[in-house]
Amino acid sequence: MTISDAPTDDFTFPVDELVGLPFNRAQSNPHGPCLSWPEGRFDNLEFASAVATTARIMSTQHKIGRGSVVGVLLRNVPEVITTMFATWSLGAALTPINPALTDDEVNFQVEDSGVALLVGDPRAEAIADGRGIGFLSVGDDCFRGGDEPTGDLDVREDDGSLIIYTAGTTGKPKGCVLGQANISAMVWSILNGLEFGENVRSLLVLPLFHCNGLLAGTVSPLMLGGSVHVLPKFDPKSFWEVVEAERPTYVSAVPTFYSILEATTKRAVDTSSLRFVICSAAPMSPDAITRFETRFDVTMLEDYGLSECSVAATLNRTDGTRRPGTVGTALPGLRVATMDPGGQLLGTGEAGEAVVAGKTIMQGYLGRPEATAETLKDGWLHTGDVGYLDEDGFLTLVDRFKDMIIRGGENIYPKEIEDVLFSHPQVTEAAVVASPDDKYGEVPVAHVALREGAATTVEELHELLEARLARYKVPGEIHIVASLPKNSVGKIFKGDLRET
């Protein structure tokens, strides 16, 4: 068997060190930069004061304390980060809610997680009133501070920290319960697995209702003494202007963001502040990575993880070992392997389900013991992703088990077809899904978006695929569209394509 791991004897921050981050920063460097956003900035003292004031209001007026759950229904704004640290300082857990959800979907998450206080705008107020729970307006003065930050904390390792809801593509979303010990271990692992350099500054474009934006994009740079610039949303038209003005040292985003930037940027851009960019949430084809790196003269590092392991399990490094096309090796303190359907660990080059073990693994799915038992077995988190490890522990992802296409008994992984499509320089987005077929059971169908002004034809793409793939893998149909449907994080959503 082959296991990718990075053994270490010291694998976490004390939870009070992480939760007390705002107050520690205010004490050591009160006027150093902390958070910025298009309309303003906080230094360390201002941020700590906002956290302290918000925590006091939560505690005295809304009785939030250990075991409570606070919901936040907002787009990417600094108040989400203030709410998170204020909630944690009281021993309570935060459940961030995607503002793109319908009211019914929001109500489900609020009820399922047991939210006692909802933070947000007038829409959130109406939902809170309808449910008879507390409400705190994002416009309240507490978010601007006023209290002296004392650093008084009430936090334990087994306290809940985050309840992150899965996408819910197969039934109702499930709440991943992460404890303070989980996120402390995750942040420690990130900071010890990647060299961020001096004066780190994160440009936050990923949504703050997911672990990546909260932990990798926010908490991690702040723990290093760095700063964060919060963007309300990703806008390719103004993205490079923000990079040039704010001078971030890294960005974490998803493949579609990078593909769009490479395809639509017409002018020369100054990327000299960027030490690297991180590609998360889904694998990016090696050809697309090369095009981006060549166009913008910046190194791209792929990682892999999921909410159930607090965000990341593997990562390519900046130490000269990275292997484009893989998602890197296990982060410090974590173990990654592949497993067959019978639960046996597999050897080098053998494809199976990727499994992860370590202190970052969730406590479980909230109120769903059967789903938890199905996902957490014998100390391993079962991811549902198919991959294989090479002799040096680099993980290559093949696809999702649920996305596999079985054509007349032959297993076809869509990612293999998508990677060939991405090798065409005019392809910016590609997704392959199964379509029912009377003869073969199901067959692959490709959906492709092209860069502006492209003259590529379906026939040309067919020829490319036929030259690179076995005949049974070549899609019978290729649809060229303006763009592909995406979920709230920016990942291509194949569910809509299967219905077309």
Side-chain angles (χ1 to χ4, degrees), residues 209-335:
F209 49 81
H210 278 299
C211 291
N212 200 321
L214 292 171
L215 301 184
T218 302
V219 178
S220 293
L222 293 181
M223 281 295 291
L224 284 174
S227 60
V228 179
H229 184 73
V230 182
L231 277 182
K233 64 178 181 179
F234 171 70
D235 181 357
K237 295 180 180 178
S238 60
F239 177 83
W240 292 118
E241 294 176 5
V242 176
V243 168
E244 291 165 337
E246 296 296 335
R247 307 292 293 169
T249 59
Y250 80 100
V251 180
S252 182
V254 298
T256 50
F257 286 13
Y258 296 122
S259 293
I260 290 170
L261 287 170
E262 190 274 321
T264 60
T265 303
K266 306 301 182 185
R267 68 176 179 88
V269 296
D270 179 5
T271 61
S272 59
S273 70
L274 292 173
R275 296 164 188 164
F276 52 81
V277 297
I278 300 175
C279 184
S280 300
M284 191 167 182
S285 78
D287 291 288
I289 291 173
T290 298
R291 285 199 295 267
F292 184 90
E293 291 183 329
T294 302
R295 173 66 177 84
F296 299 112
D297 191 26
V298 63
T299 298
M300 180 178 290
L301 306 177
E302 284 195 284
D303 71 359
Y304 167 67
L306 55 167
S307 297
E308 287 84 345
C309 70
S310 299
V311 66
T314 67
L315 178 69
N316 270 297
R317 313 297 207 270
T318 54
D319 58 4
T321 63
R322 76 184 182 107
R323 296 183 184 175
T326 78
V327 290
T329 56
L331 282 164
L334 294 175
R335 304 173 75 214

Side-chain angles (χ1 to χ4, degrees), residues 405-412 434-444 471-474 476:
I405 301 166
I406 304 177
R407 179 189 186 275
E410 296 280 6
N411 293 346
I412 302 172
S435 178
D437 184 82
D438 291 338
K439 182 177 180 180
Y440 294 106
E442 53 187 15
V443 295
R471 186 176 181 84
Y472 71 89
K473 298 178 183 179
V474 177

Side-chain angles (χ1 to χ4, degrees), residues 41-81:
R41 296 177 182 265
F42 269 156
D43 65 20
N44 289 324
L45 182 60
E46 291 167 332
F47 177 57
S49 177
V51 170
T53 309
T54 302
R56 176 179 58 79
I57 296 299
M58 286 180 170
S59 175
T60 59
Q61 296 186 15
H62 299 282
K63 310 306 178 186
I64 298 300
R66 173 159 289 105
S68 300
V69 177
V70 175
V72 59
L73 179 61
L74 289 168
R75 62 190 177 93
N76 273 23
V77 290
E79 288 84 357
V80 177
I81 302 169

Side-chain angles (χ1 to χ4, degrees), residues 297-498:
D297 191 26
V298 63
T299 298
M300 180 178 290
L301 306 177
E302 284 195 284
D303 71 359
Y304 167 67
L306 55 167
S307 297
E308 287 84 345
C309 70
S310 299
V311 66
T314 67
L315 178 69
N316 270 297
R317 313 297 207 270
T318 54
D319 58 4
T321 63
R322 76 184 182 107
R323 296 183 184 175
T326 78
V327 290
T329 56
L331 282 164
L334 294 175
R335 304 173 75 214
V336 177
T338 57
M339 189 174 286
D340 70 15
Q344 296 298 310
L345 295 177
L346 298 173
T348 301
E350 295 183 290
E353 182 179 17
V355 292
V356 184
K359 292 183 180 180
T360 67
I361 304 304
M362 68 174 178
Q363 296 177 354
Y365 293 118
L366 183 65
R368 290 164 172 78
E370 292 182 0
T372 299
E374 185 178 339
T375 302
L376 303 180
K377 302 175 187 176
D378 300 322
W380 291 101
L381 166 67
H382 288 250
T383 67
D385 292 310
V386 182
Y388 60 88
L389 293 165
D390 67 15
E391 64 279 3
D392 296 316
F394 284 80
L395 176 65
T396 296
L397 293 178
V398 178
D399 225 315
R400 291 285 294 171
F401 268 127
K402 67 181 179 64
D403 288 339
M404 186 175 69
I405 301 166
I406 304 177
R407 179 189 186 275
E410 296 280 6
N411 293 346
I412 302 172
Y413 290 107
K415 183 177 180 295
E416 183 180 7
I417 305 172
E418 292 161 2
D419 281 351
V420 175
L421 288 168
F422 275 119
S423 71
H424 195 292
Q426 293 187 342
V427 171
T428 59
E429 298 176 357
V432 175
V433 297
S435 178
D437 184 82
D438 291 338
K439 182 177 180 180
Y440 294 106
E442 53 187 15
V443 295
V445 173
H447 301 262
V448 175
L450 305 176
R451 65 180 66 240
E452 185 180 353
T456 305
T457 64
V458 168
E459 292 73 21
E460 185 178 341
L461 294 175
H462 263 299
E463 291 175 3
L464 173 67
L465 293 168
E466 288 170 351
R468 299 269 297 273
L469 297 172
R471 186 176 181 84
Y472 71 89
K473 298 178 183 179
V474 177
E477 298 179 26
I478 299 176
H479 302 286
I480 295 178
V481 296
S483 64
L484 299 183
K486 301 173 186 66
N487 66 13
S488 56
V489 186
K491 292 172 62 176
I492 292 172
F493 185 63
K494 291 187 175 182
D496 288 355
L497 297 176
R498 294 187 185 101

